[in-house]
Amino acid sequence: MMSAIARPWLRLPHLLAIYFAIAVGAPCAFFIIYELVALLRSFEGFQDHFVSPVALLACVVIAFLIVPYIYGQLTQKKDKQETFYSPELATELTGSLIASLSFGLYLREQSTYAQMHEQMLKQMRFMIENAEHLSLSDEHLKNLQALLEHPRSDADLEYRALLTRFLEKYQETHLDDQS
Amino acid sequence: MTNPKEPLPLWAQLGGPWRRTALTLNELAAHLTVIFGLLGAIKLGQWVLFFSASGSGELIFFKGSQFQFNAQWFFDAADLALLVALLFLGVGLTIWTAVKGEHK
């Protein structure tokens, strides 16, 4: 009876590894599907998403590491599962932990960039609304026009559209002032 | 040498269902411990990520002109996957324990 009670708790590290791998693997699968859909959409002309090949590759690698591991854990002989600790288990747990941490850091970086982009858009909308009150130097105007000529990603399309509107409005209002 | 067809003593027959129940609850408790531990760790990670990156409860990721992707979806996917895994793996093993007496 005591060994039967202890058995599930001795399998706890393996259960933890399986559930953890599933918890990390599911968002990766979700992300892969999302990126693939975005990639297909961009081929059809919907240029509203920037596909990150590095993140996609990382997720595919994680998925290929995790899926065989879960399969191996579920199909291996039961007597092996009763081992409390094994170097393989430690390796898999460490690998999954590093993968999820790096993915979290990647998310953080991308989100910071998205927030900066949102701030730039807000600033540009404010500049459009107040174009007639602004006074920009020639050098500043040249810099803004240079931004239009060097697009970095699909995410910049909205910014470029706003910038174009601002420059047009600025030139209209200031031409009126000069005339 | 006891005959395998010979009925068990009364105390063993009475105690059998309680023993199975205890073992089943024990199996379920092990799974729930892991699941709640992981859900807590995910929530903690989510909190650290959100508040260190934005200082608010929202984290937009990959904002396009027509569509935006919220980082919350990753954590929701992880939570959902854990619950589905518990449903299949945890409940499956628990039922197996209840049927077989103990999971071997």
Side-chain angles (χ1 to χ4, degrees):
Chain A
M1 179 73 177
M2 285 310 288
S3 68
I5 287 174
R7 191 170 288 119
W9 299 98
L10 290 175
R11 277 193 282 112
L12 214 61
H14 289 277
L15 288 177
L16 182 70
I18 291 171
Y19 283 125
F20 187 72
I22 290 169
V24 175
C28 285
F30 177 62
F31 187 72
I32 289 167
I33 292 166
Y34 171 74
E35 287 287 286
L36 288 177
V37 169
L39 199 65
L40 290 174
R41 277 165 59 93
S42 69
F43 278 132
E44 290 169 9
F46 294 93
Q47 301 284 339
D48 65 340
H49 178 77
F50 174 62
V51 176
S52 162
V54 178
L56 189 60
L57 186 67
C59 285
V60 171
V61 170
I62 292 167
F64 272 91
L65 281 175
I66 284 171
V67 171
Y69 172 64
I70 295 172
Y71 179 76
Q73 283 292 313
L74 292 176
T75 55
Q76 72 171 311
K77 286 182 181 175
K78 298 295 185 296
D79 55 341
K80 280 191 181 174
Q81 287 186 3
E82 289 176 17
T83 314
F84 184 73
Y85 175 81
S86 71
E88 285 176 15
L89 178 66
T91 311
E92 294 290 351
L93 272 176
T94 312
S96 299
L97 195 62
I98 290 170
S100 58
L101 279 177
S102 55
F103 200 68
L105 285 174
Y106 173 77
L107 263 179
R108 191 180 181 284
E109 287 295 316
Q110 287 296 321
S111 302
T112 309
Y113 171 74
Q115 278 183 329
M116 280 170 57
H117 189 249
E118 188 63 29
Q119 286 296 324
M120 283 165 66
L121 294 181
K122 270 186 192 170
Q123 190 183 6
M124 193 50 69
R125 287 190 197 102
F126 177 81
M127 284 167 73
I128 290 170
E129 283 174 13
N130 300 285
E132 63 269 26
H133 306 300
L134 291 174
S135 172
L136 301 178
S137 65
D138 290 344
E139 193 183 351
H140 198 163
L141 276 173
K142 272 184 192 170
N143 286 339
L144 288 177
Q145 276 163 349
L147 276 176
L148 282 176
E149 292 159 13
H150 301 287
R152 284 180 303 182
S153 73
D154 291 347
D156 284 334
L157 280 176
E158 194 176 355
Y159 181 74
R160 288 175 62 203
L162 288 174
L163 185 56
T164 310
R165 264 180 60 199
F166 167 71
L167 289 172
E168 284 171 3
K169 194 174 174 186
Y170 183 81
Q171 280 163 357
E172 278 173 18
T173 52
H174 286 73
L175 276 175
D176 290 346
D177 288 348
Q178 282 172 6
S179 63
Chain B
M1 191 86 185
T2 55
N3 184 4
K5 289 184 179 176
E6 191 177 315
L8 290 168
L10 182 63
W11 64 268
Q13 287 183 39
L14 288 175
W18 295 104
R19 185 174 180 274
R20 269 210 307 278
T21 306
L23 290 174
T24 305
L25 288 176
N26 185 50
E27 180 78 36
L28 188 62
H31 286 269
L32 288 178
T33 304
V34 174
I35 289 289
F36 282 123
L38 277 176
L39 284 176
I42 288 171
K43 280 286 163 206
L44 185 67
Q46 182 182 341
W47 188 83
V48 169
L49 179 69
F50 276 41
F51 283 88
S52 67
S54 68
S56 68
E58 199 177 26
L59 202 61
I60 302 299
F61 177 65
F62 280 161
K63 189 178 187 311
S65 57
Q66 298 172 9
F67 181 71
Q68 66 181 26
F69 191 99
N70 199 327
Q72 176 70 42
W73 298 356
F74 283 102
F75 295 97
D76 291 346
D79 290 348
L80 188 65
L82 270 182
L83 293 177
V84 172
L86 176 69
L87 189 70
F88 283 97
L89 183 64
V91 173
L93 281 175
T94 305
I95 290 173
W96 180 262
T97 306
V99 172
K100 295 289 177 183
E102 63 184 66
H103 177 60
K104 288 181 180 175

